[in-house]
Amino acid sequence: MNKRLTRSQNRVLAGVCGGLAEYFELDPTLVRLAFALLSICSAAFPGLLVYIVCAIVIPNKQ
């Protein structure tokens, strides 16, 4: 089976964390929490920039 990284329909903002959780078969809440903690620890700006780029680059689920 060929897995593809796509944005999830289980979305809060753009579906990036939900898509990562589906791809790695993790709980979306844990991925969102980890992303939030990493963003806060890195002064928020790099994390937000990465999220915006991922929201643009990762395709929607079809």
Side-chain angles (χ1 to χ4, degrees):
M1 185 173 147
N2 192 7
K3 289 177 24 174
R4 282 190 66 185
L5 178 59
T6 58
R7 290 188 291 166
S8 177
Q9 297 303 319
N10 177 7
R11 59 179 63 196
V12 173
L13 196 55
V16 174
C17 290
L20 287 170
E22 288 175 3
Y23 184 80
F24 291 111
E25 298 177 1
L26 299 170
D27 182 22
T29 304
L30 293 177
V31 174
R32 290 179 185 117
L33 182 61
F35 180 78
L37 289 174
L38 285 171
S39 288
I40 290 170
C41 291
S42 67
F45 179 72
L48 292 175
L49 185 62
V50 167
Y51 193 90
I52 292 168
V53 169
C54 286
I56 294 169
V57 173
I58 298 173
N60 279 327
K61 185 180 280 187
Q62 295 180 5

